[in-house]
């Protein structure tokens, strides 16, 4: 997508969010074809990835994690990540095409982007750790 945006990165790929100036810069270099491509990407992979992550997290919680409250936190976090990420994608599509640009909506979208990245990184580490620990425990149980 950087090709369509004059070399600028897309808002949802920025871990630390973005400003109104960043969005204005993108709006100035992206034409309707570019925003259409981004919107299509958001409606396909932008929905499939968070839902796949949610389902994988759910499987790990159900199959690998021991009973307890922590597994409900992980599952709730995965649901929250999926919801935030999908909503964030639609917000980005909106702020790139709306006239005039709403600064408050840019701040909300940026907050959703940062929150979804934080949840993805934290939950990804927890899920991968749970799988590795399970494999390690099973390896120790077999003589």
């Amino acid at each position: 997508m950087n090709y369509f945006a004059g070399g600028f990165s897309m808002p949802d790929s920025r871990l630390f969010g973005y400003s109104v100036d960043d969005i204005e810069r993108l709006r100035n270099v992206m034409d309707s074809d570019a925003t259409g491509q981004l919107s299509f990407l958001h409606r396909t992979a932008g929905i499939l990835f968070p839902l796949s992550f949610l389902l994988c997290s759910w499987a790990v919680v159900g199959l690998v994690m021991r009973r307890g409250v922590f597994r409900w936190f992980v599952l709730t976090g995965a649901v929250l990540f999926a919801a935030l990420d999908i909503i964030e994608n639609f917000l980005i599509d909106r702020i790139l095409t709306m006239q005039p640009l709403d600064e408050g909506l840019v701040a909300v979208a940026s907050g959703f982007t940062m929150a979804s990245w934080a949840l993805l990184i934290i939950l990804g580490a927890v899920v991968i750790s749970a799988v590795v620990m399970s494999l390690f425990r099973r390896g120790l149980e077999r003589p």
Side-chain angles (χ1 to χ4, degrees):
M1 288 300 307
N2 291 1
Y3 172 78
F4 293 111
F8 296 117
S9 62
M10 293 294 104
D12 43 357
S13 67
R14 299 178 184 189
L15 268 58
F16 302 109
Y18 38 88
S19 67
V20 172
D21 292 337
D22 296 329
I23 297 301
E24 283 291 356
R25 191 175 321 121
L26 277 174
R27 288 166 48 123
N28 290 331
V29 297
M30 291 178 73
D31 59 11
S32 62
D33 289 339
T35 55
Q37 287 287 334
L38 182 61
S39 181
F40 176 76
L41 182 67
H42 284 159
R43 284 191 223 126
T44 54
I47 293 174
L48 291 175
F49 175 74
L51 292 179
S52 298
F53 183 81
L54 170 61
L55 293 174
C56 289
S57 299
W58 191 3
V60 168
V61 165
L63 297 172
V64 175
M65 291 184 151
R66 297 177 185 206
R67 304 279 184 240
V69 175
F70 183 68
R71 63 190 292 194
W72 289 108
F73 282 122
V74 172
L75 191 55
T76 302
V79 169
L80 185 60
F81 162 74
L84 283 174
D85 197 51
I86 292 169
I87 292 169
E88 169 230 0
N89 290 335
F90 287 104
L91 287 174
I92 289 170
D93 290 341
R94 179 76 179 120
I95 62 176
L96 287 176
T97 58
M98 71 187 313
Q99 292 296 337
L101 182 60
D102 182 353
E103 294 181 13
L105 198 55
V106 172
V108 170
S110 180
F112 275 40
T113 299
M114 291 184 291
S116 67
W117 272 110
L119 282 169
L120 177 64
I121 292 167
I122 293 166
L123 292 170
V126 168
V127 166
I128 290 169
S129 298
V131 170
V132 169
M133 292 300 290
S134 173
L135 293 172
F136 184 71
R137 274 194 307 268
R138 288 184 183 161
L140 289 178
E141 291 173 357
R142 294 184 185 151

